[in-house]
Amino acid sequence: MEPLPDVTDPRVIDGRKIAQSIEANVKNEVGRFTEKHGTKPALATILVGEHPPSKLYVKLKHWACKRVGIVSEDHKLPQEAKQEEIIELIETLNRRPEIHGILVQLPLPKHIDEREVMMQIAPEKDVDGFNPLNMGKMLIGREGFVPCTPKGIVRALEEFNINPQGMEVVVVGHSNVVGKPAAIMLLNRNATVKVCHVYTKDLKSHTKEADILIVATGVRGLIKGDMVKEGATVFDVGITWFDEKVYGDVDFDDVLPKVKLISPVPGGVGPMTIAILMEHTLMAARLQIGD
């Protein structure tokens, strides 16, 4: 594991601490649920291929399940697995009443249509929030199962009593996993939101305006100190593996002196994402059992 950031600095968001608090609550609620219904919430993960970071992320999710008392099943398919095989597995899991949540670890191999796969997960078991029905609900302000990383960011803002209403929010990266849902969730909270991406001209002119800056591009060290507004809150969601170390999209040491708050990599948004997944799995079990 990577060394912890210096979380004694009040400007550094300790994502592990927030995650521990979420998990402690989930663990209590799972205990109550199990006592009441005689069954535990259960999560099934699907991993296709041998992508090392993906294998690690799935392992971390299973460890979290163990910590909070959620049953977890690990389904592994080879890199060359056909799309039909993945969909067939999802359909089997959809039909199994004892499985409450289904998570397909992204990215999938290039020959697989991710959107088509996500559409097959039953909306009530879509604990990652990628089914178009859940995405659509989020768009109209009915947030149920939403992508876990943006929800982790919102939770961190709540933790620090930051109300994004009326604030300038800039999201760098427009993926379906982080960028778009983060923008929508902040719009739902009445922020003024701007989304930048690889085709944006003069990125710095936009990022310098942000009261809250969310960066999710996978470009190591993209954001420098001179690109950040004094007193901004910065969420670094980027992950790049280099020489067996993990780096974020933000040049942490360069940006730190300017910020009000910053999430580090590692130890920032990642742990919160996994804790939210645990919360969603419990939520899915409650919905399906009628708790």
Side-chain angles (χ1 to χ4, degrees):
M1 297 294 288
E2 297 294 321
L4 274 165
D6 178 16
V7 290
T8 57
D9 188 323
R11 295 167 298 181
V12 179
I13 296 168
D14 186 350
R16 290 181 172 139
K17 188 177 174 185
I18 296 171
Q20 282 165 2
S21 165
I22 295 168
E23 283 188 16
N25 184 55
V26 171
K27 186 177 181 178
N28 285 336
E29 293 300 316
V30 165
R32 286 201 190 104
F33 178 90
T34 305
E35 201 175 313
K36 184 176 177 182
H37 299 288
T39 187
K40 290 185 175 186
L43 173 70
T45 62
I46 299 172
L47 175 67
V48 184
E50 297 292 323
H51 185 232
S54 292
K55 287 167 81 173
L56 173 61
Y57 300 147
V58 167
K59 191 182 286 185
L60 291 172
K61 287 164 187 176
H62 283 273
W63 286 350
C65 286
K66 198 171 182 182
R67 286 195 298 272
V68 301
I70 287 172
V71 174
S72 62
E73 277 189 11
D74 192 6
H75 297 268
K76 293 189 177 81
L77 294 172
Q79 178 79 16
E80 61 278 6
K82 292 187 170 66
Q83 186 163 305
E84 298 75 45
E85 290 176 71
I86 303 168
I87 290 171
E88 195 178 315
L89 174 55
I90 291 169
E91 286 171 347
T92 300
L93 295 169
N94 281 341
R95 289 192 298 269
R96 287 177 56 195
E98 76 280 13
I99 295 293
H100 304 108
I102 301 169
L103 178 142
V104 177
Q105 183 62 45
L106 301 179
L108 289 170
K110 288 192 166 41
H111 66 281
I112 307 290
D113 183 341
E114 283 184 2
R115 285 174 296 189
E116 189 59 39
V117 168
M118 292 306 163
M119 285 175 74
Q120 307 307 318
I121 300 172
E124 68 275 11
K125 296 191 179 191
D126 174 36
V127 287
D128 239 352
F130 296 145
N131 180 288
L133 181 68
N134 289 324
M135 282 278 192
K137 282 182 174 178
M138 176 178 62
L139 192 61
I140 60 169
R142 291 181 60 188
E143 293 176 9
F145 293 119
V146 297
C148 298
T149 299
K151 190 168 178 178
I153 291 168
V154 168
R155 186 66 61 85
L157 290 172
E158 290 167 356
E159 191 78 16
F160 287 93
N161 297 313
I162 297 171
N163 182 357
Q165 182 165 302
M167 286 192 176
E168 297 284 334
V169 174
V170 175
V171 181
V172 185
H174 65 348
S175 74
N176 294 330
V177 177
V178 180
K180 287 177 190 171
I184 292 163
M185 290 178 76
L186 272 299
L187 273 174
N188 287 345
R189 287 156 182 78
N190 300 316
T192 300
V193 181
K194 187 181 285 184
V195 180
C196 301
H197 41 76
V198 70
Y199 298 105
T200 298
K201 294 169 184 172
D202 191 9
L203 179 63
K204 179 178 172 180
S205 70
H206 300 291
T207 58
K208 275 188 75 72
E209 298 297 311
D211 300 311
I212 299 171
L213 178 62
I214 300 168
V215 195
T217 66
V219 179
R220 177 184 168 196
L222 174 69
I223 303 296
K224 309 293 183 191
D226 66 350
M227 299 172 73
V228 176
K229 181 181 181 178
E230 197 77 42
T233 295
V234 179
F235 289 96
D236 187 351
V237 191
I239 287 190
T240 304
W241 291 75
F242 182 75
D243 276 352
E244 295 187 4
K245 283 188 179 177
V246 63
Y247 296 89
D249 289 354
V250 176
D251 186 332
F252 186 85
D253 293 333
D254 200 33
V255 169
L256 181 63
K258 294 189 76 173
V259 299
K260 175 183 177 181
L261 286 169
I262 185 168
S263 74
V265 176
V269 176
M272 294 188 289
T273 299
I274 293 173
I276 296 292
L277 175 66
M278 299 301 105
E279 207 172 63
H280 280 183
T281 304
L282 172 62
M283 189 167 111
R286 282 177 164 161
L287 283 170
Q288 288 159 55
I289 285 182
D291 186 37

